[in-house]
Amino acid sequence: MTTDCDCANKLTYTTDTLCQLSDKRIKDQWGALSFPIYQSATFAHRGLGESTGFDYTRMQNPTRQQLEYVLATLEHGNNALAFASGMAAIATIMELFKPGDHIIIDSDLYGGSIRLFNEINKKNGLEFSTADFSRCEYRDCYRENTKAVYLETPTNPMMNVTDIKKLAEFTREKGILLIVDNTFLSPYFQTPLDLGADIVIHSGTKFLGGHHDTIGGFVIVKDQVLEERLRFIYKTTGACLSPFDSWLILRGIRTLSIRMERAAENTMKLAEYLKTKEHITKVIYPGLAEHPGHEIMKKQARGFGAMLTFEVDSVELAESILRDVELIYFAESLGGTETLITYPITQTHADVPRDQLEKNGINPRVLRLSVGIEGIEDLKTEFDRILR
């Protein structure tokens, strides 16, 4: 990837190089290239009023701070906060709002986010309206008490694409927050803060960690006042990422660029291949020229990612695919080196109301792929076998 950005020390690096950076203000006395795991709950003061900058790990930890620096740099933000999960990150953002506040959300979102909004945040007095952002329906949902707009792009699982810059013009005009979940593309392919977003969210469990071995979440912002408010909520509610999990995600980010490039290359080839298969009725991938969001993605992202959704011609075939996969794993989650196949109707979106599923086109024939870095011919051979 050749896109440049200006990092904190004012040197210009490619995104590939930014994945290798560390905050050298935090010194390891032995000069370790792999940043140490500071597995400590608390830190000693040198004397009265002489803190080292670290007091208690719920508030801050050197390993986690190192990770937050890297994420802020990659997303072109001023600061980042690392959470115990992506859902913990979203839950903390929702604490910015008070009872009676209204939030406009995209109609196609990860089922866990919808569950949080419907079962927790509504109970606490927040109000939500749902719209298809890819069709700019958010304009019709604005109210006097609207405080934010929340979206994923591309969406999970139907891969709808929203023009972030156009949406940001709307949110600036209304004086409300624009919150973008950037998990599917990672900062390697898309940086929503550059397009006008106020808050960017990641499930660090996915492409950032990249190896299905840890869970984490991130919030990245540019505005210092907003960052200070979020960090106050963060330290108060205590949903921080542990030092060891911080180290695992730091390690994963070292290979983010090469993993994303290979996985995206595989996904494009696999999407074209699946279009030729007799029993596959629909292939949804923004990298395909016929995708409605293809031109928007070319404008606002540096790649099309490694997520692909497809639909088969019968429920029986969908179920047999899930039974018969061998190279591909039938599992939830995404973003690792292995290819995973997920059944949204019973897994990621099991708690979404049936009418919303139907409206979004999520039915028992729809399957989602997170394409890994295996040999593409092996992945094609897998589909040849299970689609016979």
Side-chain angles (χ1 to χ4, degrees):
M1 183 64 58
T2 58
T3 301
D4 292 344
C5 71
D6 192 32
C7 66
N9 60 7
K10 306 303 181 185
L11 296 176
T12 300
Y13 294 113
T14 62
T15 308
D16 308 65
T17 301
L18 292 180
C19 293
Q20 315 305 319
L21 284 185
S22 62
D23 184 353
K24 292 184 171 56
R25 291 171 297 179
I26 305 176
K27 299 290 186 182
D28 171 61
Q29 61 179 323
W30 309 114
L33 292 183
S34 175
F35 195 84
I37 304 168
Y38 285 85
Q39 194 64 46
S40 180
T42 191
F43 299 85
H45 289 245
R46 295 190 179 103
L48 187 63
E50 295 183 39
S51 171
T52 62
F54 301 98
D55 299 308
Y56 193 62
T57 281
R58 173 165 49 80
M59 299 167 64
Q60 194 50 281
N61 175 280
T63 313
R64 190 166 72 242
Q65 183 169 298
Q66 188 71 238
L67 175 61
E68 290 174 346
Y69 169 83
V70 171
L71 255 295
T73 302
L74 285 171
E75 278 287 3
H76 305 173
N78 288 334
N79 219 324
L81 295 86
F83 292 83
S85 68
M87 291 311 303
I90 299 170
T92 297
I93 289 171
M94 290 299 113
E95 293 298 326
L96 291 169
F97 309 108
K98 64 182 187 301
D101 285 349
H102 173 249
I103 302 168
I104 308 169
I105 62 173
D106 200 328
S107 57
D108 188 37
L109 293 173
Y110 167 55
S113 302
I114 295 171
R115 181 174 60 238
L116 173 71
F117 301 151
N118 286 343
E119 302 299 329
I120 305 297
N121 298 136
K122 283 185 178 179
K123 170 181 67 67
N124 293 336
L126 299 187
E127 301 171 7
F128 294 86
S129 292
T130 301
D132 183 345
F133 285 17
S134 67
R135 299 177 184 273
C136 298
E137 291 177 359
Y138 48 81
R139 295 182 178 276
D140 300 327
C141 296
Y142 178 77
R143 306 176 189 170
E144 287 302 313
N145 61 333
T146 300
K147 302 299 180 184
V149 170
Y150 181 101
L151 73 150
E152 304 163 357
T153 182
T155 61
N156 182 2
M158 300 308 290
M159 307 302 293
N160 298 328
V161 173
T162 297
D163 188 324
I164 299 174
K165 188 172 285 188
K166 180 186 288 187
L167 178 53
E169 292 172 359
F170 168 77
T171 57
R172 280 197 300 271
E173 172 194 333
K174 301 298 184 182
I176 59 179
L177 293 175
L178 175 54
I179 306 165
V180 180
D181 186 328
N182 196 32
T183 298
F184 267 22
L185 288 185
S186 87
Y188 184 69
F189 280 141
Q190 183 171 263
T191 43
L193 292 176
D194 293 340
L195 301 167
D198 298 292
I199 300 174
V200 172
I201 302 167
H202 283 279
S203 172
T205 314
K206 312 305 194 293
F207 291 104
L208 294 172
H211 293 83
H212 299 311
D213 56 8
T214 192
I215 291 177
F218 297 95
V219 171
I220 305 98
V221 297
K222 277 189 173 179
D223 182 77
Q224 184 177 352
V225 174
L226 185 56
E227 186 265 329
E228 288 174 356
R229 178 59 185 158
L230 284 165
R231 197 166 289 281
F232 176 81
I233 298 168
Y234 173 77
K235 76 173 184 179
T236 302
T237 57
C240 58
L241 190 63
S242 75
F244 182 63
D245 289 320
S246 297
W247 180 83
L248 285 172
I249 297 177
L250 268 173
R251 184 180 64 168
I253 289 173
R254 291 284 185 102
T255 59
L256 177 66
S257 60
I258 56 176
R259 286 188 287 104
M260 294 303 294
E261 289 284 0
R262 174 61 178 269
E265 178 185 339
N266 274 355
T267 309
M268 188 69 228
K269 292 177 180 177
L270 193 59
E272 294 284 6
Y273 183 71
L274 293 177
K275 285 170 56 180
T276 69
K277 306 308 287 184
E278 178 183 359
H279 297 291
I280 294 181
T281 58
K282 187 184 298 182
V283 178
I284 310 171
Y285 179 58
L288 296 172
E290 63 268 25
H291 188 286
H294 180 74
E295 292 302 318
I296 295 173
M297 284 280 283
K298 285 171 64 177
K299 180 176 64 174
Q300 71 184 17
R302 299 176 289 275
F304 299 104
M307 300 301 300
L308 178 159
T309 295
F310 67 98
E311 185 174 321
V312 295
D313 58 11
S314 71
V315 176
E316 292 75 20
L317 178 56
E319 292 175 349
S320 73
I321 288 171
L322 297 173
R323 284 194 305 268
D324 294 345
V325 286
E326 292 179 358
L327 174 64
I328 297 170
Y329 291 89
F330 173 24
E332 286 200 45
S333 201
L334 58 104
T337 56
E338 311 93 340
T339 298
L340 304 185
I341 191 165
T342 298
Y343 202 29
I345 200 91
T346 65
Q347 292 182 299
T348 56
H349 290 67
D351 294 327
V352 177
R354 188 64 52 176
D355 60 339
Q356 189 169 344
L357 290 174
E358 292 174 358
K359 182 180 179 181
N360 290 347
I362 303 171
N363 61 60
R365 301 186 308 280
V366 169
L367 298 159
R368 190 194 74 185
L369 280 177
S370 170
V371 182
I373 63 173
E374 302 94 340
I376 186 61
E377 294 306 319
D378 295 324
L379 291 172
K380 290 179 181 179
T381 299
E382 175 91 331
F383 275 100
D384 282 341
R385 182 182 59 79
I386 60 181
L387 291 171
R388 279 195 299 231

